[in-house]
């Protein structure tokens, strides 16, 4: 058997402790599959004394985590610190600069600095792997980089944030409203104390930008992801969607369209969508993640599993380490960095969509006439419309509609026409229907 | 860029033609991802003149397909001939013997001769890849070999035969009986003229034996797969399952249990099961395939997609070729052949299961008493029971029950007690409930 592969671990939160536990628990089968032993030699974290449920005594300790990158007894640095910049980025740079392999679960860092890090990795012929950065334990980075490698991909989309999916599917099951379910999710550990990154779709946007690069050969462009969170989805929207045969899910979606000159334009979007109950994503409940890739030969492929948690994330981290031990490592984004194309962001106004629009309206005559006139004037064709009267004094009056397929910009025009109207008591909520 | 990787293609049916079409259509992106061009140099099939919708003129032709293995201008032999033995096996042996990489979609050949072929491949340091042999376009061989490589797997199971799934889900949608739907499926090309391999579960058993080897490090043991087909499932069973909250799917399942001495025993089973409508496999309809792997750290992972067809199968074949071009190739069954363990087949009699049993009975007094007495005497506890009276003269009278969880062997004992009874007009149908 070959020499052991020596690992340094930076960051000993739940995932870091999970990686130690995994490597200890499954040591024998990991060695068999990797063709060599995988041993942790050194670790680093903020607090040496904290009880993490794992014994750190066998491993050298470094107070300064960048020192891990300089140790002679380390082949692979595993970065589990988090944060797009700061200590995580410093460590990543030191590791690659020293020619060591880098494994990370840090979606924010890859979304912001993945290209620069891949360039360093290439220059040093060092491995850069980040399976755990996207969709936790689901091998979807590998799935896109290798599983669908023979295909031109038409679309990549999915459920990339477990917190949002837990909240939306719980709202669906219980009829409770957003704030209530968020509070429960925080209590149960499915949502952070500050849930902004999750519920505003930023976490999903990080992951989507990474998938877009791998799937479409685009230079990562996180800044151009158009992101809408789930905070404005009401229980009434979910009930209305249900009545129409849909569920609501936060969908991250990317595809490429050519402009008039044949240059590729990259669409990257995170937004709550109505998903037909017949679609495989509609049955993805709780904190589960799922990614769909549609290839020109493979057809639709679905990868589903736990999107977070110490076990699943550790599973992805160690799978990367085993790939490195097996010397099955290639370009982090499937093709060499120099060949990644800087694609312009796509302006989707001409895209055809069916759309759900919910208005919160004043309870007075003429409101429906005003809304439907604006739709008519903007060329939006209404497929179905329902006005939900107020059950109790003080309830809001809602008007919900689904449009026929039409260009996205017509919806915006209709809403512009209604802007400032005294009939509307809150900004309308616009949710696209996920195309099958 | 490195030298082109040169491919020889044996077998030019729909999949072979699909591989040619894929390599032509996606040539540019394949070269980018593979890091080198992938070119077909030579082909072979039975009939040179047949119109396959692709131009064979650019490729050298060999009448004798084993000659492909001897050509100097070939690095990878792609075997798409089919059949567990005969020309396919001869070609596979010649290719590996000549030190060339072998890519195959041939599940029967791998299920019967995979170990011997992997030994040859190892001895010659040649690649042996067979992603397309299991679940068509779904990268599940890679998913298990690499995606879940850090995990001890607890169970691997799924829907591995598209024909059966098409038949069962169509019976569910239409209420039609087995024979009728099979005839339709044959007309639509979802079932072969001789459907035995599919509907008797043999095709799924081939695939299961391969997955068991990769997932559990077992030497392939196709002969020990216990296989029950779907031919005895009636529309009435599907209706009854539906009323109880289940669908019926042909489930291939494998796991490992230790015997009293700690020796691993391999359970491999293909049989129609009742699947709870809440389970992700329940929404897998039509000819789709899906595989679930449950790891001790990853939790439940689901891989879903097209299980057959020229496009999806070609996608898997070419993904293997790209892996070879990238030099990302390792042990075909995840660990070296010498380390694969010859596991005894598992005797599952003590396993706890809930079971659906349907009796076809004579319409006369005392039948229910006789059946329920046999259950009681064998220690089987009945959870629910329904007797469906005959609607029309000549209809069969059915008694269907679901048992509480209990050892499998008790069910067998109960049926033994009823064996030969004049109350039963046909052998009972026994379907386990898939454990969640």
């Amino acid at each position: 058997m070959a020499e052991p592969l020596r690992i340094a671990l930076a960051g000993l939160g739940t995932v870091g402790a999970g990686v130690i536990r995994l490597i200890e628990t499954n040591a024998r089968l990991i060695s068999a599959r990797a063709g060599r032993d995988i041993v942790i030699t050194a670790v680093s974290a903020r607090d040496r004394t904290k009880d993490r449920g794992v014994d750190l005594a066998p491993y050298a300790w470094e107070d300064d985590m960048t020192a891990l990158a300089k140790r002679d007894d380390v082949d692979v640095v595993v970065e589990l610190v988090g944060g797009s910049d700061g200590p995580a980025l410093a460590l990543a740079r030191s590791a690659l600069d020293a020619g060591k392999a880098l494994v990370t679960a840090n979606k924010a860092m890859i979304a912001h600095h993945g290209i620069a890090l891949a360039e360093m990795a290439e220059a040093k012929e060092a491995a850069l792997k980040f399976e755990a950065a996207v969709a936790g334990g689901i091998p979807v980075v590998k799935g896109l980089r290798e599983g669908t490698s023979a295909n031109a991909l038409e679309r990549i989309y999915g459920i990339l944030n477990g917190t949002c999916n837990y909240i939306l599917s719980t709202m669906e099951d219980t009829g409770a409203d957003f704030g209530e379910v968020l509070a429960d999710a925080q209590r149960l550990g499915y949502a952070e104390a500050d849930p902004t990154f999750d519920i505003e779709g930023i976490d999903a946007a990080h992951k989507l930008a990474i998938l877009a690069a791998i799937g479409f050969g685009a230079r990562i462009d996180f800044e151009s992801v158009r992101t809408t969170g789930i905070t404005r989805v009401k229980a009434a929207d979910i009930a209305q969607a249900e009545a129409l045969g849909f569920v609501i899910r936060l969908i991250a979606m990317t595809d490429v369209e050519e402009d008039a000159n044949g240059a590729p334009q990259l669409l990257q979007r995170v937004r709550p969508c109505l998903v037909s109950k017949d679609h495989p994503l509609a049955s993805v409940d709780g904190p589960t993640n799922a990614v769909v890739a549609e290839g020109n030969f493979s057809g639709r492929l679905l990868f589903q599993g736990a999107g977070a948690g110490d076990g699943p994330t550790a599973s992805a981290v160690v799978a990367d380490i085993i790939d490195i031990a097996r010397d099955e490592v290639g370009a982090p984004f499937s093709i060499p960095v120099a060949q990644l194309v800087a694609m312009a962001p796509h302006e989707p106004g001409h895209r055809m969509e069916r759309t759900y629009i919910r208005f919160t309206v004043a309870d007075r005559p003429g409101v429906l006439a005003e809304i439907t006139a604006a739709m008519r004037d903007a060329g939006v064709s209404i497929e179905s419309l329902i006005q939900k009267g107020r059950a109790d004094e003080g309830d809001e009056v809602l008007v919900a509609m689904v449009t026929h397929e039409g260009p996205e910009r017509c919806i915006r025009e209709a809403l512009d026409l209604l802007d400032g109207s005294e009939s509307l008591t809150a900004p309308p909520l616009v949710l696209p229907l996920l195309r099958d």
Side-chain angles (χ1 to χ4, degrees), chain A:
Chain A
M1 199 176 267
E3 291 289 298
L5 187 72
R6 300 161 304 174
I7 311 297
L9 213 55
L12 295 172
T14 54
V15 174
V19 169
I20 294 178
R21 214 160 40 242
L22 196 169
I23 288 176
E24 288 174 354
T25 308
N26 293 344
R28 218 162 50 95
L29 64 86
I30 289 173
S31 298
R33 292 176 186 162
R36 53 207 282 203
D37 289 338
I38 288 176
V39 296
I40 299 169
T41 49
V43 298
S44 176
R46 255 178 305 193
D47 179 359
R48 187 171 189 173
T49 58
K50 187 175 162 191
D51 180 13
R52 299 170 169 93
V54 289
D55 180 12
L56 299 180
Y59 318 124
W61 176 272
E62 296 281 1
D63 283 321
D64 169 17
M65 66 176 65
T66 56
L68 295 174
K70 298 182 180 76
R71 292 179 66 100
D72 287 338
D73 61 355
V74 169
D75 305 305
V76 182
V77 172
V78 177
E79 183 279 305
L80 300 170
V81 179
S84 62
D85 296 79
L89 185 61
L91 173 64
R93 285 180 174 147
S94 313
L96 293 173
D97 197 48
K100 298 192 191 302
L102 178 71
V103 173
T104 176
N106 190 330
K107 59 215 89 171
M109 182 177 75
I110 298 297
H112 285 280
H113 306 291
I115 298 294
L117 292 173
E119 279 166 352
M120 287 185 69
E122 242 177 57
K124 297 285 184 175
E125 294 186 26
L128 168 63
K129 307 272 291 174
F130 43 81
E131 182 63 78
V134 183
I138 313 173
V140 66
V141 166
K142 180 176 285 287
L144 292 187
R145 207 191 82 88
E146 302 165 34
T148 68
S149 59
N151 291 267
L153 294 180
E154 282 150 14
R155 270 200 303 184
I156 305 166
Y157 60 100
I159 294 170
L160 293 178
N161 183 272
T163 304
C164 288
N165 208 62
Y166 173 83
I167 291 174
L168 291 171
S169 63
T170 304
M171 287 172 72
E172 191 179 303
D173 291 345
T174 62
D177 237 318
F178 175 78
E180 201 179 324
V181 177
L182 172 61
D184 277 356
Q186 286 171 315
R187 212 163 26 76
L188 293 167
Y190 289 134
E192 308 275 347
D194 177 358
T196 313
F197 259 48
D198 292 317
I199 64 178
E200 295 297 353
I202 301 162
D203 172 79
H206 284 145
K207 298 167 183 168
L208 183 69
I210 297 171
L211 294 183
I214 300 169
F216 297 120
R219 283 178 78 91
I220 293 186
D221 183 9
F222 167 69
E223 303 301 335
S224 298
V225 184
R226 294 155 163 261
T227 303
T228 308
I230 63 166
T231 57
R232 295 190 55 231
V233 177
K234 291 176 187 288
D237 296 312
I238 289 175
Q240 193 52 44
E242 154 83 28
L244 294 163
F246 296 89
V247 299
I248 297 179
R249 292 287 181 269
L250 183 69
I251 301 292
M253 211 266 276
T254 176
D255 67 18
V256 171
E257 201 171 283
E258 293 188 352
D259 70 9
N261 304 316
Q265 294 192 322
L266 183 65
L267 180 79
Q268 300 178 98
R269 274 188 161 181
V270 176
R271 48 184 183 164
C273 292
L274 268 65
V275 178
S276 162
K277 285 183 190 164
D278 293 336
H279 193 285
L281 292 184
S283 49
V284 177
D285 292 328
T288 304
N289 279 198
V291 178
V292 176
E294 294 173 353
N296 64 341
F297 279 77
S298 64
R300 179 185 287 173
L301 293 171
L302 172 76
F303 303 85
Q304 184 174 323
D310 53 339
T313 308
S315 166
V317 166
V318 179
D320 277 349
I321 296 173
I322 294 173
D323 270 357
I324 292 167
R326 284 170 163 171
D327 206 15
E328 296 179 14
V329 180
F333 296 103
S334 190
I335 61 175
V337 187
Q339 293 176 37
L340 293 170
V341 177
M343 297 186 190
H346 180 60
E347 268 309 322
H350 68 282
R351 294 276 185 118
M352 302 298 277
E353 278 190 344
R354 290 172 69 203
T355 308
Y356 167 91
I357 314 173
R358 182 255 298 158
F359 299 92
T360 312
V361 300
D363 194 3
R364 62 174 196 193
V367 169
L368 271 181
E370 189 181 345
I371 291 173
T372 53
M375 293 292 150
R376 178 199 60 208
D377 295 345
V380 175
S381 171
I382 299 169
E383 182 182 302
S384 62
L385 181 150
I386 193 164
Q387 172 164 355
K388 189 165 162 283
R390 94 177 58 189
D392 293 309
E393 196 61 35
D395 275 11
E396 293 169 318
V397 180
L398 303 180
V399 173
M401 63 174 67
V402 171
T403 71
H404 281 292
E405 193 170 77
E408 280 192 65
R409 64 176 154 63
C410 294
I411 305 286
R412 286 208 302 273
E413 282 167 30
L415 299 185
D416 285 348
L417 289 173
L418 289 166
D419 192 32
S421 160
E422 289 181 4
S423 295
L424 307 190
T425 59
L429 179 74
V430 179
L431 306 178
L433 274 57
L434 178 67
R435 185 163 52 77
D436 252 4

